Amino acid sequence: ARRMRALLRRGMPCDTVFAYSYAAARVFRAAKSLGLRTVLGQIDPGPVEDEIVADLYRRAGQADRYERMPATYWARWREEIELSDVVVANSDWSKRALVRAGVPEGKIAIVPLAYDVSAEIPIPNGSRRPPPRFTQDRPLKLLFLGQVTLRKGIGPLLDAISSMPG
């Protein structure tokens, strides 16, 4: 917030401020006091994710291993939502979760993390495509990016792997 004010005092042209969720309230309060537009980069589906993760741990018999976020955490997040002119979600699923948590649908814009190039742009000759079937000579290779936790989906992933023949 101090840096933003200093930049504006130096004449930096600015009409919009972007900040990530769970760290935006102070910056957005300052931005609003200066008449600036605010855009919140929502990094997860908010309280709905907390519910989903708590349920994952409960179903795995490990409810005592997951500590729910306190009400004060969500109160601060709700202040960020109120101060936001736009909330950026990375998928339609996240948008639906945010709406379920009370974020006005019209306030949410979806900016995907990635997209399927092959669905929109023809793949040039020589590009690699997945085979129609995986075999011993062309096995399925899997890359998991994320923490190895229930929250990041490792449980369903391991279940799916164990159900695969061979």
Side-chain angles (χ1 to χ4, degrees):
R2 283 191 300 272
R3 176 97 171 117
M4 179 182 59
R5 284 190 174 106
L7 289 170
L8 288 169
R9 277 194 302 273
R10 286 191 222 136
M12 169 76 73
C14 175
D15 61 0
T16 304
V17 174
F18 175 90
Y20 285 106
S21 55
Y22 313 113
R26 176 183 260 172
V27 172
F28 282 4
R29 282 193 298 268
K32 287 297 186 185
S33 74
L34 297 167
L36 303 176
R37 181 180 154 115
T38 54
V39 178
L40 182 69
Q42 182 61 39
I43 64 170
D44 61 21
V48 172
E49 180 186 18
D50 195 38
E51 293 169 20
I52 291 168
V53 174
D55 188 54
L56 281 172
Y57 277 84
R58 183 191 54 74
R59 285 189 281 137
Q62 299 179 22
D64 59 328
R65 298 193 70 193
Y66 182 69
E67 186 175 339
R68 299 288 302 263
M69 294 296 171
T72 54
Y73 181 86
W74 296 119
R76 285 192 305 271
W77 174 76
R78 290 190 188 289
E79 179 187 7
E80 292 177 349
I81 295 296
E82 286 297 316
L83 291 166
S84 302
D85 293 305
V86 176
V87 176
V88 176
N90 64 22
S91 68
D92 188 56
W93 181 86
S94 288
K95 178 180 180 176
R96 287 192 310 271
L98 293 170
V99 168
R100 184 172 141 199
V103 179
E105 185 171 2
K107 191 181 247 196
I108 303 170
I110 298 174
V111 179
L113 295 175
Y115 65 94
D116 181 358
V117 175
S118 66
E120 298 179 24
I121 302 170
I123 296 177
N125 289 338
S127 292
R128 294 178 58 169
R129 290 181 185 256
R133 189 168 162 253
F134 295 104
T135 64
Q136 291 284 22
D137 295 330
R138 184 77 194 272
L140 171 67
K141 294 177 183 176
L142 176 72
L143 172 64
F144 177 81
L145 295 175
Q147 299 167 323
V148 181
T149 64
L150 290 175
R151 178 181 175 269
K152 290 295 185 175
I154 196 66
L157 176 62
L158 293 175
D159 290 343
I161 289 170
S162 69
S163 72
M164 296 174 70

